[in-house]
Amino acid sequence: MSSGESRRGLWGSKLGFVLAASGSAIGLGNIVFFGANAYRYGGGAFYVPYFVALFLLGIPMMIVEFGLGKTQRRSFPASMRKACGAGGEFFGWWSQINALFIGMYYITILSWAASMLMKAFGPLLEDGRASVGPTFGATLASWTPAAFVVVLWGLNMVFLSKGTKTIERTAKIFVPLMWVFMIVLVVRGLSLDNGFQGVWYLFTPNFDGILDFSVWRGAFSQMFFSLSLGLGTMVAYSSYLPKKSDVITNAGMVSFLNCSFEFIAGVAIFSILFAFSLYPGSSTGTLGMSLVVIPSGIAEFPAAQAVFAGLFFFLLVIAGLTSSISILEAPISAIRDKFAWPRGKVLALIALIGLPGSLVFALPMMLDRGGEPTQTTGLTLLDLLDHWAFGYSLLIVGLTEALYIGWGYGISRLRNELNATSFLKLGPWFDWLIKLVIPVVISVVLIFNVLGEIGAFYGTKESQLFDGLNWLPFAVFIFWAIATFGGASVLTRLTQAKEEGIERVES
Ligand code: PFF
């Protein structure tokens, strides 16, 4: 192995890469967010936008991200610099700072799932369904999640300690395990009385919502997040691929695995909802659906309730862990490529910034938000930051990526490079998809987002106000804007360390 290979790392096998990439894609997004979105946007009404998002946006952008990593053999900012110049690097760093923010609160959400896992064998189901909501509220408002934040950061560091080697090993254990657990849950869900009703609701096409813009926006953001696009993760992972890899087929396979898992998760969730007539109202937040409503259904299972509740939360934790390591690997590889620091030093730096960040989101109740037990300080901050770091950044990065690669690097050049080692070949239609169709579609979604913002700045609507802290939504926005735009310009300007070894993974 050349020094370059040992410095950046290389996947042990094709299977290892597919498992790691699908471990990244399959996560909280597939269970927590998909279930909530599909329900909120009306079951069958969600599928048309979902499939359009998959074929028009998801798979093509996955091919671009895999292709960028494989051909440039660098992390996202360094790949963008090499392919498209300093402007590209700037957006690369911008996305990496957003990735770090998302990684911070993603781990906090995992800590809530881990706390609930612990409670599954204690007070969670003591009084059946009645104790689930109060236990969740009490857990969020306690310091237990903070303790789990520390444990989960420790696990992330262990799984990332030897780069591809440890990431691959983690994926090889956890990814098959999460499929098994999900299949157990879906079989149990479908065998419940009326379980199939939920499946009909989920799969009966419904064109009512097709003109509703928010359904499209929901499906597009969901797709980006679910496929781990727009944060540089897939670029980092594919930069560890051997040069001859077939990334077009791999992109199809990873997308297929991800969406299949999402479908199965949807079936499990909807069968439980309908079997026990749990129809969450509009006030049930995204997290409430998975962390409260589903366990409430499990509490009514005829037998082994604690076992199924434990299995469900354990599934969330392992699916989330294989994703959180990928979110962190993106900035880790970016810093390593820029400064040529050893992995241990970069891991320490990321943990030093990220762990306190996750702890902030785990803060229990400190603000009085009118007696809502689940509205803790941490969750309030998470909600405000998520609106910017997730709601905007993935789509903005997708847009700039499509434009830079489409017009700057030249998508036909990338397409030819990828076709040369691929079983499936992309035709010239792909060029127009990346150069024109995707930028137009994402721009329309973004413009509507911004227009919505003008009416009411996020977090300041009457229902969201809280005494004396009306400035908080603005403060979070300003903090986010300075951290991401300021941080990205500084990092772009810093001199690149000599690219020793970066380019040598040629095999
Ligand atoms: N795809 C992951 C999920 O569905 O939970 C989340 C994620 C991981 C998003 C990595 C973005 C990313 F880069």
Side-chain angles (χ1 to χ4, degrees):
M1 194 186 268
S2 77
S3 67
E5 284 173 30
S6 56
R7 206 180 82 75
R8 289 204 86 253
L10 206 57
W11 299 109
S13 64
K14 180 181 163 169
L15 177 72
F17 168 73
V18 171
L19 285 176
S22 60
S24 164
I26 299 171
L28 298 176
N30 299 60
I31 310 168
V32 179
F33 306 123
F34 177 77
N37 277 334
Y39 187 81
R40 180 181 311 142
Y41 297 124
F46 193 59
Y47 275 104
V48 177
Y50 179 89
F51 278 113
V52 172
L54 173 64
F55 290 106
L56 198 72
L57 220 66
I59 300 177
M61 287 312 289
M62 174 93 77
I63 293 174
V64 168
E65 292 208 354
F66 276 0
L68 189 62
K70 190 197 82 146
T71 55
Q72 310 305 310
R73 329 206 58 67
R74 288 159 170 77
S75 59
F76 189 38
S79 284
M80 288 292 273
R81 178 177 204 111
K82 183 161 182 247
C84 320
E89 185 184 359
F90 172 83
F91 276 103
W93 282 115
W94 190 73
S95 79
Q96 296 312 285
I97 300 170
N98 279 299
L100 191 54
F101 281 139
I102 293 176
M104 288 176 194
Y105 63 73
Y106 197 89
I107 291 178
T108 309
I109 300 175
L110 274 184
S111 79
W112 291 329
S115 307
M116 293 295 274
L117 170 61
M118 210 178 73
K119 300 273 157 72
F121 299 96
L124 184 66
L125 306 175
E126 248 166 23
D127 297 322
R129 182 174 170 168
S131 48
V132 176
T135 307
F136 175 66
T139 306
L140 236 65
S142 74
W143 289 99
T144 315
F148 274 111
V149 159
V150 177
V151 173
L152 290 163
W153 264 94
L155 287 175
N156 270 282
M157 293 297 108
V158 172
F159 298 154
L160 287 163
S161 59
K162 297 233 156 55
T164 42
K165 235 197 227 154
T166 38
I167 297 174
E168 198 168 330
R169 209 176 300 151
T170 309
K172 277 187 172 157
I173 299 169
F174 284 164
V175 174
L177 205 59
M178 62 181 93
W179 277 94
V180 172
F181 283 5
M182 188 44 96
I183 289 168
V184 170
L185 266 181
V186 86
V187 169
R188 180 66 277 220
L190 288 177
S191 57
L192 292 165
D193 287 345
N194 294 330
F196 263 99
Q197 270 185 19
V199 182
W200 300 140
Y201 178 74
L202 185 61
F203 289 124
T204 308
N206 171 357
F207 297 101
D208 286 354
I210 205 146
L211 293 178
D212 182 349
F213 185 73
S214 66
V215 182
W216 289 87
R217 190 176 56 195
F220 284 6
S221 310
Q222 164 75 29
M223 190 52 69
F224 256 77
F225 190 74
S226 183
L227 291 178
S228 300
L229 298 170
L231 289 185
T233 296
M234 291 308 190
V235 179
Y237 271 18
S238 53
S239 74
Y240 305 132
L241 275 171
K243 255 208 160 146
K244 296 209 172 64
S245 308
D246 172 352
V247 294
I248 301 176
T249 315
N250 279 343
M253 195 137 55
V254 172
S255 307
F256 173 76
L257 285 172
N258 179 67
C259 295
S260 314
F261 192 94
E262 205 150 75
F263 265 62
I264 298 178
V267 170
I269 288 176
F270 277 71
S271 62
I272 294 174
L273 289 182
F274 278 70
F276 301 110
S277 309
L278 296 161
Y279 306 120
S282 54
S283 63
T284 304
T286 305
L287 290 170
M289 175 81 142
S290 284
L291 299 181
V292 179
V293 180
I294 300 304
S296 303
I298 294 178
E300 310 230 334
F301 277 15
Q305 297 90 344
V307 173
F308 281 105
L311 188 135
F312 176 69
F313 288 119
F314 188 66
L315 170 61
L316 286 183
V317 172
I318 59 172
L321 268 170
T322 51
S323 299
S324 66
I325 57 175
S326 75
I327 301 179
L328 298 180
E329 178 60 18
I332 289 168
S333 65
I335 297 172
R336 270 164 56 72
D337 283 349
K338 180 93 185 183
F339 302 108
W341 288 346
R343 174 166 279 271
K345 183 172 169 181
V346 181
L347 287 182
L349 177 72
I350 291 285
L352 213 66
I353 304 170
L355 173 61
S358 296
L359 285 174
V360 167
F361 298 118
L363 284 179
M365 178 81 88
M366 290 182 172
L367 311 171
D368 184 2
R369 294 198 58 191
E372 261 290 326
T374 52
Q375 291 296 352
T376 63
T377 308
L379 186 57
T380 304
L381 290 170
L382 189 159
D383 182 48
L384 293 173
L385 185 66
D386 176 70
H387 180 75
W388 305 107
F390 163 64
Y392 281 92
S393 81
L394 302 195
L395 290 177
I396 290 178
V397 172
L399 173 65
T400 47
E401 210 173 14
L403 291 175
Y404 268 109
I405 303 299
W407 299 92
Y409 183 71
I411 187 65
S412 50
R413 178 175 160 198
L414 184 70
R415 180 166 59 85
N416 289 330
E417 285 167 347
L418 302 186
N419 277 347
T421 55
S422 178
F423 170 70
L424 299 168
K425 312 276 182 222
L426 296 167
W429 55 268
F430 187 76
D431 300 1
W432 291 105
L433 193 61
I434 303 296
K435 279 161 86 163
L436 213 63
V437 179
I438 291 180
V440 168
V441 168
I442 300 183
S443 301
V444 170
V445 174
L446 281 170
I447 289 169
F448 273 88
N449 264 356
V450 174
L451 289 179
E453 218 71 63
I454 294 169
F457 193 82
Y458 188 76
T460 57
K461 275 197 224 118
E462 230 176 324
S463 62
Q464 294 161 331
L465 288 181
F466 36 110
D467 280 348
L469 285 164
N470 301 351
W471 48 268
L472 199 61
F474 298 103
V476 170
F477 169 73
I478 291 168
F479 167 76
W480 168 78
I482 293 176
T484 54
F485 287 102
S489 15
V490 171
L491 283 159
T492 306
R493 281 200 188 110
L494 289 177
T495 336
Q496 168 84 44
K498 257 198 277 150
E499 292 208 352
E500 237 175 273
I502 286 179
E503 224 160 348
R504 302 216 210 104
V505 193
E506 304 293 352
S507 56

